[in-house]
Amino acid sequence: MEELIFFIIVLSAIALVLVLVKTFFFLRDTPIFDIYHRPGIFFPVKYCILRVLFLFKDQTQRDIQLLDELQPFSNSPKAFDAVFFDGANQDGDYFIMGSERRPNGIVNGLFYLVGTNTVKSQQDPWKIFDVSFDGVFQSATPAYFSYDTHFNRHAMAYSMAKEPWSLAYFRHLKTAHQNHYEQIGK
């Protein structure tokens, strides 16, 4: 009887090892919505590597004047250099305006004004309105938030460690890099 129990335990252990090997090494986890990867077997190692690399990432803030100059485009046809302004008040009124400079001399401009006293034109969406502003923009802080240096290291390492690593993946990260900063006001 003891031999039979021992045999069943050994057989169960072998089956468990085979299932784990098949699961971790032969089956590729299907991303959620074919986009979002889940942590794999090497996730803890990749996460630790990234956290160490982020410790040595340059934390110096860039000169804000250099970021406000025209930026060179990447090779992507979807590349753009943009400036946006937005604001809101306590009553729920807000506006967003921006300008996107794109390759081939294309510039997209936008302006949204939403609030309690907003003029709405459902009949003619292309109607032109005169808009004026009587107020003062104030900066709540002289500092700005740079996504190059102020990002959350845990969130970035966690997200990147879930992805399957390859040379193509890191090349894509390099080409998709962008400079982005925000300055919060009141």
Side-chain angles (χ1 to χ4, degrees):
M1 185 69 171
E2 290 180 10
E3 292 174 356
L4 181 61
I5 293 174
F6 179 74
F7 179 73
I8 292 173
I9 292 173
V10 169
L11 193 59
S12 299
I14 291 171
L16 180 63
V17 167
L18 290 175
V19 167
L20 290 174
V21 166
K22 182 179 178 185
T23 301
F24 288 124
F25 292 106
F26 295 109
L27 294 179
R28 289 300 273 176
D29 190 23
T30 304
I32 301 168
F33 301 119
D34 291 328
I35 297 173
Y36 306 106
H37 292 274
R38 298 173 217 192
I41 189 170
F42 297 111
F43 174 81
V45 174
K46 296 191 308 187
Y47 177 83
C48 291
I49 290 170
L50 290 166
R51 286 304 299 251
V52 169
L53 288 174
F54 291 154
L55 284 175
F56 298 106
K57 181 164 173 38
D58 183 17
Q59 297 300 310
T60 58
Q61 290 197 15
R62 296 179 181 207
D63 183 8
I64 193 77
Q65 297 302 325
L66 295 176
L67 290 175
D68 278 342
E69 294 177 0
L70 286 178
Q71 300 297 315
F73 291 126
S74 68
N75 294 331
S76 170
K78 297 179 180 179
F80 66 93
D81 182 21
V83 175
F84 290 92
F85 295 93
D86 56 64
N89 66 17
Q90 294 173 345
D91 298 328
D93 303 322
Y94 66 90
F95 78 95
I96 303 169
M97 63 181 170
S99 175
E100 301 172 340
R101 183 178 64 93
R102 295 185 176 267
N104 301 320
I106 296 172
V107 176
N108 295 326
L110 60 94
F111 184 84
Y112 298 101
L113 180 62
V114 178
T116 54
N117 296 318
T118 305
V119 177
K120 296 181 180 180
S121 175
Q122 299 293 335
Q123 308 300 329
D124 184 6
W126 296 105
K127 184 176 180 181
I128 297 175
F129 295 95
D130 290 327
V131 178
S132 64
F133 174 73
D134 182 20
V136 177
F137 285 106
Q138 296 178 343
S139 175
T141 170
Y144 59 92
F145 182 90
S146 171
Y147 286 83
D148 276 344
T149 56
H150 301 126
F151 63 92
N152 184 312
R153 278 144 188 65
H154 163 70
M156 185 68 72
Y158 183 85
S159 298
M160 291 176 68
K162 290 191 306 183
E163 296 294 326
W165 285 6
S166 65
L167 191 56
Y169 171 70
F170 286 103
R171 283 186 180 147
H172 176 71
L173 284 179
K174 185 176 181 180
T175 59
H177 177 263
Q178 58 178 298
N179 296 322
H180 180 94
Y181 76 93
E182 293 181 8
Q183 185 172 9
I184 310 301
K186 63 176 185 173

PDB file of all heavy atoms in Angstrom, residues 66-98:
ATOM      1  N   LEU A  66      14.856  74.670 -24.555  1.00  0.00           N
ATOM      2  CA  LEU A  66      15.152  73.733 -25.642  1.00  0.00           C
ATOM      3  C   LEU A  66      13.929  72.901 -26.004  1.00  0.00           C
ATOM      4  O   LEU A  66      13.722  72.552 -27.164  1.00  0.00           O
ATOM      5  CB  LEU A  66      16.314  72.816 -25.251  1.00  0.00           C
ATOM      6  CG  LEU A  66      17.658  73.504 -25.050  1.00  0.00           C
ATOM      7  CD1 LEU A  66      18.708  72.503 -24.575  1.00  0.00           C
ATOM      8  CD2 LEU A  66      18.105  74.172 -26.343  1.00  0.00           C
ATOM      9  N   LEU A  67      13.115  72.579 -25.025  1.00  0.00           N
ATOM     10  CA  LEU A  67      11.912  71.798 -25.308  1.00  0.00           C
ATOM     11  C   LEU A  67      10.854  72.628 -26.022  1.00  0.00           C
ATOM     12  O   LEU A  67      10.009  72.087 -26.733  1.00  0.00           O
ATOM     13  CB  LEU A  67      11.329  71.229 -24.013  1.00  0.00           C
ATOM     14  CG  LEU A  67      12.139  70.134 -23.339  1.00  0.00           C
ATOM     15  CD1 LEU A  67      11.508  69.755 -22.006  1.00  0.00           C
ATOM     16  CD2 LEU A  67      12.267  68.918 -24.228  1.00  0.00           C
ATOM     17  N   ASP A  68      10.867  73.946 -25.844  1.00  0.00           N
ATOM     18  CA  ASP A  68       9.884  74.813 -26.484  1.00  0.00           C
ATOM     19  C   ASP A  68      10.248  75.170 -27.922  1.00  0.00           C
ATOM     20  O   ASP A  68       9.473  75.834 -28.598  1.00  0.00           O
ATOM     21  CB  ASP A  68       9.693  76.099 -25.674  1.00  0.00           C
ATOM     22  CG  ASP A  68       8.731  75.903 -24.508  1.00  0.00           C
ATOM     23  OD1 ASP A  68       7.977  74.910 -24.537  1.00  0.00           O
ATOM     24  OD2 ASP A  68       8.737  76.717 -23.590  1.00  0.00           O
ATOM     25  N   GLU A  69      11.405  74.756 -28.398  1.00  0.00           N
ATOM     26  CA  GLU A  69      11.800  75.023 -29.783  1.00  0.00           C
ATOM     27  C   GLU A  69      11.229  73.940 -30.701  1.00  0.00           C
ATOM     28  O   GLU A  69      10.743  72.910 -30.237  1.00  0.00           O
ATOM     29  CB  GLU A  69      13.325  75.056 -29.887  1.00  0.00           C
ATOM     30  CG  GLU A  69      13.943  76.212 -29.121  1.00  0.00           C
ATOM     31  CD  GLU A  69      15.462  76.189 -29.168  1.00  0.00           C
ATOM     32  OE1 GLU A  69      16.036  75.281 -29.788  1.00  0.00           O
ATOM     33  OE2 GLU A  69      16.071  77.093 -28.576  1.00  0.00           O
ATOM     34  N   LEU A  70      11.267  74.195 -32.006  1.00  0.00           N
ATOM     35  CA  LEU A  70      10.827  73.189 -32.964  1.00  0.00           C
ATOM     36  C   LEU A  70      11.618  71.905 -32.745  1.00  0.00           C
ATOM     37  O   LEU A  70      12.841  71.931 -32.614  1.00  0.00           O
ATOM     38  CB  LEU A  70      11.049  73.661 -34.395  1.00  0.00           C
ATOM     39  CG  LEU A  70      10.097  74.728 -34.926  1.00  0.00           C
ATOM     40  CD1 LEU A  70      10.486  75.112 -36.339  1.00  0.00           C
ATOM     41  CD2 LEU A  70       8.672  74.252 -34.878  1.00  0.00           C
ATOM     42  N   GLN A  71      10.925  70.783 -32.707  1.00  0.00           N
ATOM     43  CA  GLN A  71      11.565  69.493 -32.501  1.00  0.00           C
ATOM     44  C   GLN A  71      11.647  68.754 -33.836  1.00  0.00           C
ATOM     45  O   GLN A  71      10.722  68.830 -34.653  1.00  0.00           O
ATOM     46  CB  GLN A  71      10.762  68.662 -31.488  1.00  0.00           C
ATOM     47  CG  GLN A  71      10.633  69.317 -30.133  1.00  0.00           C
ATOM     48  CD  GLN A  71      11.971  69.505 -29.446  1.00  0.00           C
ATOM     49  OE1 GLN A  71      12.786  68.605 -29.427  1.00  0.00           O
ATOM     50  NE2 GLN A  71      12.186  70.685 -28.889  1.00  0.00           N
ATOM     51  N   PRO A  72      12.735  68.027 -34.061  1.00  0.00           N
ATOM     52  CA  PRO A  72      12.835  67.265 -35.312  1.00  0.00           C
ATOM     53  C   PRO A  72      11.843  66.103 -35.308  1.00  0.00           C
ATOM     54  O   PRO A  72      11.538  65.536 -34.263  1.00  0.00           O
ATOM     55  CB  PRO A  72      14.280  66.755 -35.305  1.00  0.00           C
ATOM     56  CG  PRO A  72      14.681  66.762 -33.872  1.00  0.00           C
ATOM     57  CD  PRO A  72      13.923  67.880 -33.219  1.00  0.00           C
ATOM     58  N   PHE A  73      11.330  65.766 -36.478  1.00  0.00           N
ATOM     59  CA  PHE A  73      10.411  64.650 -36.607  1.00  0.00           C
ATOM     60  C   PHE A  73      11.175  63.335 -36.668  1.00  0.00           C
ATOM     61  O   PHE A  73      12.303  63.279 -37.154  1.00  0.00           O
ATOM     62  CB  PHE A  73       9.580  64.768 -37.891  1.00  0.00           C
ATOM     63  CG  PHE A  73       8.584  65.898 -37.875  1.00  0.00           C
ATOM     64  CD1 PHE A  73       8.575  66.829 -38.876  1.00  0.00           C
ATOM     65  CD2 PHE A  73       7.654  66.013 -36.861  1.00  0.00           C
ATOM     66  CE1 PHE A  73       7.657  67.859 -38.887  1.00  0.00           C
ATOM     67  CE2 PHE A  73       6.727  67.037 -36.849  1.00  0.00           C
ATOM     68  CZ  PHE A  73       6.731  67.960 -37.867  1.00  0.00           C
ATOM     69  N   SER A  74      10.517  62.272 -36.215  1.00  0.00           N
ATOM     70  CA  SER A  74      11.065  60.931 -36.435  1.00  0.00           C
ATOM     71  C   SER A  74      10.706  60.530 -37.864  1.00  0.00           C
ATOM     72  O   SER A  74      10.100  61.298 -38.606  1.00  0.00           O
ATOM     73  CB  SER A  74      10.471  59.941 -35.430  1.00  0.00           C
ATOM     74  OG  SER A  74       9.093  59.750 -35.693  1.00  0.00           O
ATOM     75  N   ASN A  75      11.052  59.316 -38.249  1.00  0.00           N
ATOM     76  CA  ASN A  75      10.749  58.848 -39.602  1.00  0.00           C
ATOM     77  C   ASN A  75       9.301  58.404 -39.767  1.00  0.00           C
ATOM     78  O   ASN A  75       8.889  58.068 -40.859  1.00  0.00           O
ATOM     79  CB  ASN A  75      11.688  57.689 -39.970  1.00  0.00           C
ATOM     80  CG  ASN A  75      13.124  58.160 -40.075  1.00  0.00           C
ATOM     81  OD1 ASN A  75      13.377  59.314 -40.402  1.00  0.00           O
ATOM     82  ND2 ASN A  75      14.060  57.289 -39.794  1.00  0.00           N
ATOM     83  N   SER A  76       8.541  58.399 -38.695  1.00  0.00           N
ATOM     84  CA  SER A  76       7.157  57.934 -38.762  1.00  0.00           C
ATOM     85  C   SER A  76       6.282  58.963 -39.474  1.00  0.00           C
ATOM     86  O   SER A  76       6.390  60.161 -39.212  1.00  0.00           O
ATOM     87  CB  SER A  76       6.617  57.695 -37.354  1.00  0.00           C
ATOM     88  OG  SER A  76       5.226  57.470 -37.395  1.00  0.00           O
ATOM     89  N   PRO A  77       5.394  58.512 -40.352  1.00  0.00           N
ATOM     90  CA  PRO A  77       4.469  59.458 -40.993  1.00  0.00           C
ATOM     91  C   PRO A  77       3.456  60.039 -39.998  1.00  0.00           C
ATOM     92  O   PRO A  77       2.799  61.027 -40.292  1.00  0.00           O
ATOM     93  CB  PRO A  77       3.765  58.614 -42.061  1.00  0.00           C
ATOM     94  CG  PRO A  77       3.932  57.207 -41.629  1.00  0.00           C
ATOM     95  CD  PRO A  77       5.210  57.143 -40.833  1.00  0.00           C
ATOM     96  N   LYS A  78       3.346  59.431 -38.826  1.00  0.00           N
ATOM     97  CA  LYS A  78       2.422  59.922 -37.798  1.00  0.00           C
ATOM     98  C   LYS A  78       3.107  60.855 -36.802  1.00  0.00           C
ATOM     99  O   LYS A  78       2.500  61.255 -35.818  1.00  0.00           O
ATOM    100  CB  LYS A  78       1.806  58.747 -37.041  1.00  0.00           C
ATOM    101  CG  LYS A  78       0.967  57.854 -37.928  1.00  0.00           C
ATOM    102  CD  LYS A  78       0.397  56.701 -37.139  1.00  0.00           C
ATOM    103  CE  LYS A  78      -0.438  55.802 -38.028  1.00  0.00           C
ATOM    104  NZ  LYS A  78      -0.981  54.662 -37.270  1.00  0.00           N
ATOM    105  N   ALA A  79       4.360  61.193 -37.022  1.00  0.00           N
ATOM    106  CA  ALA A  79       5.105  62.045 -36.095  1.00  0.00           C
ATOM    107  C   ALA A  79       4.478  63.434 -36.031  1.00  0.00           C
ATOM    108  O   ALA A  79       3.898  63.919 -37.000  1.00  0.00           O
ATOM    109  CB  ALA A  79       6.560  62.152 -36.540  1.00  0.00           C
ATOM    110  N   PHE A  80       4.601  64.082 -34.860  1.00  0.00           N
ATOM    111  CA  PHE A  80       4.104  65.447 -34.735  1.00  0.00           C
ATOM    112  C   PHE A  80       4.835  66.162 -33.607  1.00  0.00           C
ATOM    113  O   PHE A  80       5.417  65.554 -32.731  1.00  0.00           O
ATOM    114  CB  PHE A  80       2.579  65.485 -34.517  1.00  0.00           C
ATOM    115  CG  PHE A  80       2.115  64.890 -33.222  1.00  0.00           C
ATOM    116  CD1 PHE A  80       1.932  65.673 -32.100  1.00  0.00           C
ATOM    117  CD2 PHE A  80       1.851  63.535 -33.129  1.00  0.00           C
ATOM    118  CE1 PHE A  80       1.490  65.131 -30.901  1.00  0.00           C
ATOM    119  CE2 PHE A  80       1.407  62.982 -31.946  1.00  0.00           C
ATOM    120  CZ  PHE A  80       1.232  63.775 -30.827  1.00  0.00           C
ATOM    121  N   ASP A  81       4.804  67.475 -33.669  1.00  0.00           N
ATOM    122  CA  ASP A  81       5.345  68.356 -32.638  1.00  0.00           C
ATOM    123  C   ASP A  81       4.185  69.271 -32.265  1.00  0.00           C
ATOM    124  O   ASP A  81       3.652  69.970 -33.115  1.00  0.00           O
ATOM    125  CB  ASP A  81       6.531  69.145 -33.204  1.00  0.00           C
ATOM    126  CG  ASP A  81       7.175  70.054 -32.182  1.00  0.00           C
ATOM    127  OD1 ASP A  81       7.009  69.817 -30.971  1.00  0.00           O
ATOM    128  OD2 ASP A  81       7.860  71.009 -32.595  1.00  0.00           O
ATOM    129  N   ALA A  82       3.756  69.227 -31.016  1.00  0.00           N
ATOM    130  CA  ALA A  82       2.518  69.905 -30.656  1.00  0.00           C
ATOM    131  C   ALA A  82       2.661  70.736 -29.396  1.00  0.00           C
ATOM    132  O   ALA A  82       3.513  70.485 -28.559  1.00  0.00           O
ATOM    133  CB  ALA A  82       1.401  68.877 -30.462  1.00  0.00           C
ATOM    134  N   VAL A  83       1.777  71.728 -29.298  1.00  0.00           N
ATOM    135  CA  VAL A  83       1.645  72.550 -28.098  1.00  0.00           C
ATOM    136  C   VAL A  83       0.155  72.616 -27.779  1.00  0.00           C
ATOM    137  O   VAL A  83      -0.664  72.875 -28.665  1.00  0.00           O
ATOM    138  CB  VAL A  83       2.187  73.977 -28.330  1.00  0.00           C
ATOM    139  CG1 VAL A  83       1.921  74.842 -27.121  1.00  0.00           C
ATOM    140  CG2 VAL A  83       3.659  73.948 -28.658  1.00  0.00           C
ATOM    141  N   PHE A  84      -0.181  72.350 -26.524  1.00  0.00           N
ATOM    142  CA  PHE A  84      -1.575  72.393 -26.087  1.00  0.00           C
ATOM    143  C   PHE A  84      -1.691  73.258 -24.843  1.00  0.00           C
ATOM    144  O   PHE A  84      -0.797  73.282 -24.003  1.00  0.00           O
ATOM    145  CB  PHE A  84      -2.100  70.986 -25.743  1.00  0.00           C
ATOM    146  CG  PHE A  84      -2.260  70.113 -26.946  1.00  0.00           C
ATOM    147  CD1 PHE A  84      -1.234  69.284 -27.356  1.00  0.00           C
ATOM    148  CD2 PHE A  84      -3.439  70.111 -27.661  1.00  0.00           C
ATOM    149  CE1 PHE A  84      -1.373  68.478 -28.461  1.00  0.00           C
ATOM    150  CE2 PHE A  84      -3.592  69.310 -28.767  1.00  0.00           C
ATOM    151  CZ  PHE A  84      -2.558  68.487 -29.168  1.00  0.00           C
ATOM    152  N   PHE A  85      -2.803  73.953 -24.732  1.00  0.00           N
ATOM    153  CA  PHE A  85      -3.149  74.712 -23.536  1.00  0.00           C
ATOM    154  C   PHE A  85      -4.550  74.281 -23.125  1.00  0.00           C
ATOM    155  O   PHE A  85      -5.415  74.096 -23.970  1.00  0.00           O
ATOM    156  CB  PHE A  85      -3.152  76.224 -23.808  1.00  0.00           C
ATOM    157  CG  PHE A  85      -1.807  76.775 -24.146  1.00  0.00           C
ATOM    158  CD1 PHE A  85      -1.412  76.887 -25.470  1.00  0.00           C
ATOM    159  CD2 PHE A  85      -0.938  77.179 -23.145  1.00  0.00           C
ATOM    160  CE1 PHE A  85      -0.171  77.396 -25.789  1.00  0.00           C
ATOM    161  CE2 PHE A  85       0.305  77.688 -23.459  1.00  0.00           C
ATOM    162  CZ  PHE A  85       0.689  77.791 -24.779  1.00  0.00           C
ATOM    163  N   ASP A  86      -4.745  74.105 -21.855  1.00  0.00           N
ATOM    164  CA  ASP A  86      -6.098  73.830 -21.385  1.00  0.00           C
ATOM    165  C   ASP A  86      -6.307  74.494 -20.045  1.00  0.00           C
ATOM    166  O   ASP A  86      -5.363  74.844 -19.348  1.00  0.00           O
ATOM    167  CB  ASP A  86      -6.385  72.326 -21.311  1.00  0.00           C
ATOM    168  CG  ASP A  86      -5.403  71.571 -20.455  1.00  0.00           C
ATOM    169  OD1 ASP A  86      -5.342  71.831 -19.242  1.00  0.00           O
ATOM    170  OD2 ASP A  86      -4.702  70.692 -20.984  1.00  0.00           O
ATOM    171  N   GLY A  87      -7.554  74.687 -19.715  1.00  0.00           N
ATOM    172  CA  GLY A  87      -7.879  75.332 -18.449  1.00  0.00           C
ATOM    173  C   GLY A  87      -9.300  75.007 -18.044  1.00  0.00           C
ATOM    174  O   GLY A  87     -10.122  74.591 -18.862  1.00  0.00           O
ATOM    175  N   ALA A  88      -9.577  75.192 -16.777  1.00  0.00           N
ATOM    176  CA  ALA A  88     -10.914  74.920 -16.240  1.00  0.00           C
ATOM    177  C   ALA A  88     -11.151  75.823 -15.042  1.00  0.00           C
ATOM    178  O   ALA A  88     -10.213  76.351 -14.448  1.00  0.00           O
ATOM    179  CB  ALA A  88     -11.034  73.454 -15.825  1.00  0.00           C
ATOM    180  N   ASN A  89     -12.414  75.985 -14.709  1.00  0.00           N
ATOM    181  CA  ASN A  89     -12.742  76.746 -13.504  1.00  0.00           C
ATOM    182  C   ASN A  89     -13.608  75.892 -12.580  1.00  0.00           C
ATOM    183  O   ASN A  89     -13.958  74.751 -12.910  1.00  0.00           O
ATOM    184  CB  ASN A  89     -13.414  78.083 -13.850  1.00  0.00           C
ATOM    185  CG  ASN A  89     -14.772  77.903 -14.500  1.00  0.00           C
ATOM    186  OD1 ASN A  89     -15.390  76.852 -14.449  1.00  0.00           O
ATOM    187  ND2 ASN A  89     -15.252  78.972 -15.129  1.00  0.00           N
ATOM    188  N   GLN A  90     -13.959  76.449 -11.444  1.00  0.00           N
ATOM    189  CA  GLN A  90     -14.721  75.701 -10.443  1.00  0.00           C
ATOM    190  C   GLN A  90     -16.154  75.416 -10.878  1.00  0.00           C
ATOM    191  O   GLN A  90     -16.814  74.539 -10.325  1.00  0.00           O
ATOM    192  CB  GLN A  90     -14.723  76.462  -9.117  1.00  0.00           C
ATOM    193  CG  GLN A  90     -13.354  76.562  -8.500  1.00  0.00           C
ATOM    194  CD  GLN A  90     -13.341  77.458  -7.275  1.00  0.00           C
ATOM    195  OE1 GLN A  90     -14.258  78.205  -7.024  1.00  0.00           O
ATOM    196  NE2 GLN A  90     -12.257  77.356  -6.506  1.00  0.00           N
ATOM    197  N   ASP A  91     -16.657  76.146 -11.873  1.00  0.00           N
ATOM    198  CA  ASP A  91     -18.022  75.945 -12.346  1.00  0.00           C
ATOM    199  C   ASP A  91     -18.135  74.823 -13.379  1.00  0.00           C
ATOM    200  O   ASP A  91     -19.224  74.509 -13.834  1.00  0.00           O
ATOM    201  CB  ASP A  91     -18.559  77.234 -12.972  1.00  0.00           C
ATOM    202  CG  ASP A  91     -18.613  78.383 -11.964  1.00  0.00           C
ATOM    203  OD1 ASP A  91     -18.834  78.090 -10.765  1.00  0.00           O
ATOM    204  OD2 ASP A  91     -18.433  79.544 -12.383  1.00  0.00           O
ATOM    205  N   GLY A  92     -16.996  74.250 -13.767  1.00  0.00           N
ATOM    206  CA  GLY A  92     -17.020  73.171 -14.744  1.00  0.00           C
ATOM    207  C   GLY A  92     -16.798  73.625 -16.171  1.00  0.00           C
ATOM    208  O   GLY A  92     -16.857  72.824 -17.101  1.00  0.00           O
ATOM    209  N   ASP A  93     -16.558  74.916 -16.380  1.00  0.00           N
ATOM    210  CA  ASP A  93     -16.233  75.409 -17.717  1.00  0.00           C
ATOM    211  C   ASP A  93     -14.788  75.035 -18.024  1.00  0.00           C
ATOM    212  O   ASP A  93     -13.927  75.103 -17.145  1.00  0.00           O
ATOM    213  CB  ASP A  93     -16.379  76.928 -17.784  1.00  0.00           C
ATOM    214  CG  ASP A  93     -17.760  77.408 -17.389  1.00  0.00           C
ATOM    215  OD1 ASP A  93     -18.737  76.738 -17.747  1.00  0.00           O
ATOM    216  OD2 ASP A  93     -17.844  78.442 -16.698  1.00  0.00           O
ATOM    217  N   TYR A  94     -14.509  74.653 -19.264  1.00  0.00           N
ATOM    218  CA  TYR A  94     -13.121  74.364 -19.619  1.00  0.00           C
ATOM    219  C   TYR A  94     -12.879  74.624 -21.100  1.00  0.00           C
ATOM    220  O   TYR A  94     -13.810  74.696 -21.894  1.00  0.00           O
ATOM    221  CB  TYR A  94     -12.740  72.933 -19.247  1.00  0.00           C
ATOM    222  CG  TYR A  94     -13.458  71.852 -20.019  1.00  0.00           C
ATOM    223  CD1 TYR A  94     -12.938  71.345 -21.208  1.00  0.00           C
ATOM    224  CD2 TYR A  94     -14.656  71.329 -19.554  1.00  0.00           C
ATOM    225  CE1 TYR A  94     -13.586  70.340 -21.891  1.00  0.00           C
ATOM    226  CE2 TYR A  94     -15.306  70.331 -20.237  1.00  0.00           C
ATOM    227  CZ  TYR A  94     -14.761  69.834 -21.417  1.00  0.00           C
ATOM    228  OH  TYR A  94     -15.415  68.846 -22.098  1.00  0.00           O
ATOM    229  N   PHE A  95     -11.620  74.778 -21.415  1.00  0.00           N
ATOM    230  CA  PHE A  95     -11.241  74.947 -22.809  1.00  0.00           C
ATOM    231  C   PHE A  95      -9.966  74.158 -23.073  1.00  0.00           C
ATOM    232  O   PHE A  95      -9.171  73.882 -22.181  1.00  0.00           O
ATOM    233  CB  PHE A  95     -11.035  76.430 -23.169  1.00  0.00           C
ATOM    234  CG  PHE A  95      -9.725  76.978 -22.697  1.00  0.00           C
ATOM    235  CD1 PHE A  95      -8.619  77.003 -23.544  1.00  0.00           C
ATOM    236  CD2 PHE A  95      -9.576  77.453 -21.400  1.00  0.00           C
ATOM    237  CE1 PHE A  95      -7.410  77.500 -23.105  1.00  0.00           C
ATOM    238  CE2 PHE A  95      -8.373  77.947 -20.962  1.00  0.00           C
ATOM    239  CZ  PHE A  95      -7.282  77.984 -21.817  1.00  0.00           C
ATOM    240  N   ILE A  96      -9.807  73.789 -24.321  1.00  0.00           N
ATOM    241  CA  ILE A  96      -8.591  73.127 -24.787  1.00  0.00           C
ATOM    242  C   ILE A  96      -8.271  73.746 -26.135  1.00  0.00           C
ATOM    243  O   ILE A  96      -9.141  73.867 -26.995  1.00  0.00           O
ATOM    244  CB  ILE A  96      -8.794  71.608 -24.965  1.00  0.00           C
ATOM    245  CG1 ILE A  96      -9.259  70.959 -23.676  1.00  0.00           C
ATOM    246  CG2 ILE A  96      -7.519  70.943 -25.480  1.00  0.00           C
ATOM    247  CD1 ILE A  96      -9.730  69.529 -23.842  1.00  0.00           C
ATOM    248  N   MET A  97      -7.028  74.155 -26.300  1.00  0.00           N
ATOM    249  CA  MET A  97      -6.612  74.633 -27.616  1.00  0.00           C
ATOM    250  C   MET A  97      -5.214  74.107 -27.882  1.00  0.00           C
ATOM    251  O   MET A  97      -4.423  73.873 -26.967  1.00  0.00           O
ATOM    252  CB  MET A  97      -6.658  76.152 -27.702  1.00  0.00           C
ATOM    253  CG  MET A  97      -5.747  76.889 -26.799  1.00  0.00           C
ATOM    254  SD  MET A  97      -6.006  78.662 -27.044  1.00  0.00           S
ATOM    255  CE  MET A  97      -5.064  79.295 -25.689  1.00  0.00           C
ATOM    256  N   GLY A  98      -4.944  73.856 -29.145  1.00  0.00           N
ATOM    257  CA  GLY A  98      -3.641  73.310 -29.467  1.00  0.00           C
ATOM    258  C   GLY A  98      -3.312  73.443 -30.936  1.00  0.00           C
ATOM    259  O   GLY A  98      -4.155  73.775 -31.768  1.00  0.00           O
TER     260      GLY A  98
END
